[in-house]
Amino acid sequence: MSPESLYIAEQEYFRFEEIMNTKEYLTKEEYDFCFSYDKDIREDMFYIGDYSKLGDYLNLRVYSEQAHHEAVLQMEIGG
């Protein structure tokens, strides 16, 4: 493997890890990138489409139902 191709592969890995470990919502482009990198991500994704303006896919690796409910509660009580 040439140094250039090794660098590109490393950058793709870092991008994949950043998206999958930090982003709760993924755009179609981010999902396609991650899916092309690792087909098994479909087990960790939930398609939400137009339901959210934040992205088309919910990343179940980082989504927290408790955090979601706390945020909704804070919005309801005006906090």
Side-chain angles (χ1 to χ4, degrees), residues 68-79:
H68 171 73
H69 287 296
E70 287 175 12
V72 169
L73 179 61
Q74 288 299 318
M75 286 183 1
E76 288 175 352
I77 63 175

Side-chain angles (χ1 to χ4, degrees), residues 19-26 44-46 48 51-52 54 57-72:
I19 291 170
M20 293 305 296
N21 293 320
T22 63
K23 296 199 73 170
E24 192 170 15
Y25 296 92
L26 276 66
D44 299 321
M45 294 290 152
F46 185 76
I48 55 176
Y51 179 74
S52 172
L54 300 173
Y57 294 87
L58 182 62
N59 183 353
L60 300 176
R61 287 187 185 179
V62 296
Y63 177 74
S64 167
E65 191 73 26
Q66 179 183 0
H68 171 73
H69 287 296
E70 287 175 12
V72 169

Side-chain angles (χ1 to χ4, degrees), residues 19-37:
I19 291 170
M20 293 305 296
N21 293 320
T22 63
K23 296 199 73 170
E24 192 170 15
Y25 296 92
L26 276 66
T27 64
K28 175 78 169 123
E29 185 273 327
E30 290 168 330
Y31 174 83
D32 289 343
F33 169 78
C34 291
F35 185 74
S36 69
Y37 192 83

